[in-house]
Amino acid sequence: MAEGVLLITGASRGIGAATAILAGRAGYHVVVNYVGNQAAAETVAGTIASAGGRASVVQGDVGSEADILRMFAHADAQGRLAGLVNNAGVVDLSARVDEMSLERLERMMRINIIGSIVCAREAVKRLSTMHGGEGGGIVNLSSAAAKLGAPANYVDYASAKGAIDTFTVGLAKEVAAEGIRVNAIRPGIIATDIHASGGQPDRVAEMEASLPMKRAGTAEECAKAILWLLSDEASYTTGAILDVSGARAILP
Ligand code: NAP
């Protein structure tokens, strides 16, 4: 059984919620972060508790350092941190680069890149044997978009996820001798609310026929990969970026 506290950002819906439910089953005390949807976060925590697991809920915007510090203080109050899943992420409406406002770009980078790096910073302070910690795991959420570039859709988002790939490799090397493994998954088209939030509610249905497996992936399929990367089964896997894309984007 897994032990300790696992903080999952953006765990009220989608991939984060599926990861939280599996993590609860695996034995972690799951900290379910959300930004606006408290009811959904409470439902995830309730699902974990009714299966005999432990979970708590914390509001916080990963675009805010103050909120991140508060989220980690909440996690500390639950017990020893064992890991972090940097899952919270956003897309914006389809646009060309020559249509993107500075405000949009700053939001995209603040939530998708800086938020993940600041969360990882706080996790390393707690997990690193150099700081008296017992080690642990960090899993970042990249995207197949990092390889595909997402032209005329959201090159800004794709670029942010490219940064997550580089961050994963760099941090993995930086803390490899300190008991921390840092990995990422690169989901392809996964059936969650994110497509509707980018103004494309029918994206999954429209794309399925063109996908190599003729279907989108599920949040649970991503969650299983994340839980494996966190587990001792992956004890020599660090700095890895695992494609969970049904072969959508497997070329470098
Ligand atoms: P989703 O269904 O849209 O859910 C997003 C989650 O993130 C929600 O729990 C939301 O909380 C939370 N969130 C949004 N902004 C936040 C913020 N500023 N601070 C804290 N939490 C925030 O997303 P998803 O599809 O599961 O995506 C999860 C991750 O996978 C993202 O990093 C995404 O880029 C990546 N990904 C997804 C796909 C895909 O096809 N779905 C493909 C590749 C990569 P509320 O419920 O409170 O709003």
Side-chain angles (χ1 to χ4, degrees):
M1 285 289 269
E3 287 179 5
V5 175
L6 181 67
L7 172 58
I8 306 177
T9 65
S12 44
R13 292 182 287 123
I15 295 168
T19 305
I21 290 165
L22 277 194
R25 237 182 265 162
Y28 291 107
H29 178 122
V30 186
V31 174
V32 177
N33 161 249
Y34 70 98
V35 66
N37 202 334
Q38 183 176 1
E42 300 281 5
T43 299
V44 171
T47 303
I48 294 168
S50 57
R54 293 165 301 153
S56 58
V57 161
V58 65
Q59 192 279 335
D61 179 351
V62 300
S64 155
E65 183 182 35
D67 282 15
I68 290 171
L69 296 180
R70 190 167 44 71
M71 286 154 54
F72 274 86
H74 170 95
D76 290 341
Q78 315 309 313
R80 177 186 65 83
L81 191 75
L84 164 72
V85 182
N86 259 328
N87 170 78
V90 292
V91 296
D92 210 320
L93 301 180
S94 269
R96 286 169 47 95
V97 171
D98 52 15
E99 298 167 332
M100 291 177 186
S101 68
L102 184 63
E103 186 187 19
R104 167 182 170 136
L105 295 175
E106 286 180 342
R107 170 176 174 266
M108 200 54 49
M109 305 307 157
R110 192 175 65 248
I111 294 175
N112 291 334
I113 306 177
I114 298 174
S116 291
I117 296 177
V118 174
C119 284
R121 180 192 77 193
E122 292 307 308
V124 168
K125 284 181 190 172
R126 289 158 175 82
L127 300 176
S128 169
T129 54
M130 198 182 82
H131 296 301
E134 296 176 27
I138 297 175
V139 176
N140 298 321
L141 269 288
S142 176
S143 169
K147 288 181 173 179
L148 297 168
N153 196 14
Y154 29 60
V155 169
D156 52 348
Y157 169 81
S159 304
K161 293 301 188 179
I164 290 297
D165 286 0
T166 305
F167 175 62
T168 300
V169 171
L171 184 64
K173 291 178 178 175
E174 191 166 293
V175 298
E178 299 168 24
I180 307 175
R181 293 183 299 102
V182 184
N183 294 291
I185 68 163
R186 262 196 216 106
I189 301 289
I190 310 299
T192 71
D193 297 344
I194 201 168
H195 309 290
S197 70
Q200 301 180 72
D202 302 325
R203 186 159 192 249
V204 169
E206 285 167 6
M207 290 198 65
E208 275 186 320
S210 70
L211 297 174
M213 290 179 73
K214 307 297 175 200
R215 68 168 181 89
T218 66
E220 289 71 23
E221 288 172 313
C222 293
K224 286 177 188 171
I226 293 167
L227 263 291
W228 178 75
L229 287 168
L230 288 170
S231 77
D232 288 343
E233 299 296 312
S235 53
Y236 201 59
T237 300
T238 191
I241 305 168
L242 182 60
D243 286 307
V244 185
S245 67
R248 178 158 194 252
I250 53 174
L251 293 174

